């Protein structure tokens, strides 16, 4: 089963991706987690993307697409995966369509978590993970980038008939149950 978990910053993608991973035994691939680990370990990739993440902007499509294709070729993803944070631009979505085609694979579901903007800001500023991009100013940038670059990804998958809208308000378990019922 191949799933994309989609939504604005602070929608709870990471939290729900981890729960899906445990429930269905398919690995999560979070591009944000990979970039943060690379920054922490000061790898060449980390050095390249640090200032981009710190500013709440997007890593160039080519870097992200190469990274995801590379990662997905690992054996652990053979039986499926949950993408969290990718694709984040229409160009990335198109590249991912190609990737699936080249690998004779298909996308099973695109789950879009919807959460009102005031709630997103509140959640991010109160989660206290110490992320450099979790300041009020950077959150504003991330939301702006989301509206401009990422939201069109939703239309891309709507055209493919893959989108399942899920209300992202409520407890973690309530939201998880909604996701599970859309997957049945
Ligand atoms: P959030 O969804 O809360 O913003 P993520 O962990 O998904 O957090 O992403 C954090 C940052 O990592 C983004 O602001 C961006 O700089 C970078 N990033 C993650 N995924 C992508 C992607 N697919 N394309 C470009 N940049 C990305």
């Amino acid at each position: 089963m191949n799933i994309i978990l989609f939504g604005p910053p602070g929608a709870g993608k990471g939290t729900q991706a981890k729960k899906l991973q445990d429930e269905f035994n398919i690995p999560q691939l979070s591009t944000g987690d990979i970039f943060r680990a690379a920054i922490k370990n000061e790898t060449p990739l980390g050095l390249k993307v640090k200032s981009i993440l710190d500013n709440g902007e997007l890593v160039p499509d080519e870097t992200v697409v190469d990274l995801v294709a590379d990662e997905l070729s690992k054996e652990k993803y053979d039986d499926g995966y949950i993408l969290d944070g990718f694709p984040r631009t229409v160009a990335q979505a198109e590249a991912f369509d190609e990737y699936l085609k080249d690998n004779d694979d298909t996308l099973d579901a695109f789950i879009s978590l919807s959460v009102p903007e005031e709630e997103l800001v509140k959640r991010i500023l109160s989660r206290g993970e110490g992320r450099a991009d979790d300041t009020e100013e950077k959150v504003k940038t991330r939301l702006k980038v989301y509206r401009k670059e990422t939201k069109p990804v939703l239309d891309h998958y709507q055209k493919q008939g893959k989108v399942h809208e899920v209300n992202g308000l409520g407890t973690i378990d309530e939201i998880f149950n909604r996701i599970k019922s859309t997957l049945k």
Side-chain angles (χ1 to χ4, degrees), residues 13 49 53 57 63 83-84 87 102 107 114 170 178 182:
K13 297 182 298 282
V49 302
L53 266 85
E57 279 149 14
T63 306
L83 295 178
D84 157 12
D102 291 346
L107 176 70
S114 44
R178 289 178 202 141
T182 70

Side-chain angles (χ1 to χ4, degrees), residues 112-181:
S112 170
L113 286 173
S114 44
V115 177
E117 206 159 289
E118 317 81 73
E119 172 72 15
L120 296 171
V121 177
K122 220 163 56 189
R123 282 187 191 178
I124 294 172
L125 296 182
S126 66
R127 70 185 171 191
E129 285 173 1
R131 276 171 54 171
D133 59 349
D134 276 357
T135 64
E136 196 160 352
E137 190 202 339
K138 300 297 154 59
V139 170
K140 271 196 195 134
T141 307
R142 283 155 65 201
L143 287 171
K144 209 160 94 190
V145 169
Y146 170 79
R147 285 192 295 264
K148 186 159 176 274
E149 308 282 342
T150 307
K151 216 153 173 234
V153 171
L154 198 58
D155 305 323
H156 178 88
Y157 287 100
Q158 220 116 39
K159 287 182 197 137
Q160 298 185 6
K162 305 269 185 191
V163 174
H164 302 263
E165 280 287 349
V166 171
N167 175 2
L169 285 178
T171 66
I172 290 173
D173 286 326
E174 277 163 0
I175 300 162
F176 185 56
N177 286 328
R178 289 178 202 141
I179 293 175
K180 274 197 299 187
S181 45

Side-chain angles (χ1 to χ4, degrees), residues 7-10 13 30-33 35-36 52-53 56-61 64 84-88 92 124 127 131 133 142:
K13 297 182 298 282
S30 160
T31 42
D33 284 353
F35 291 136
R36 280 185 291 275
I52 300 175
L53 266 85
E57 279 149 14
L58 292 184
V59 174
D61 288 332
V64 186
D84 157 12
F86 176 90
R88 225 179 179 95
Q92 290 178 21
I124 294 172
R127 70 185 171 191
R131 276 171 54 171
D133 59 349
R142 283 155 65 201

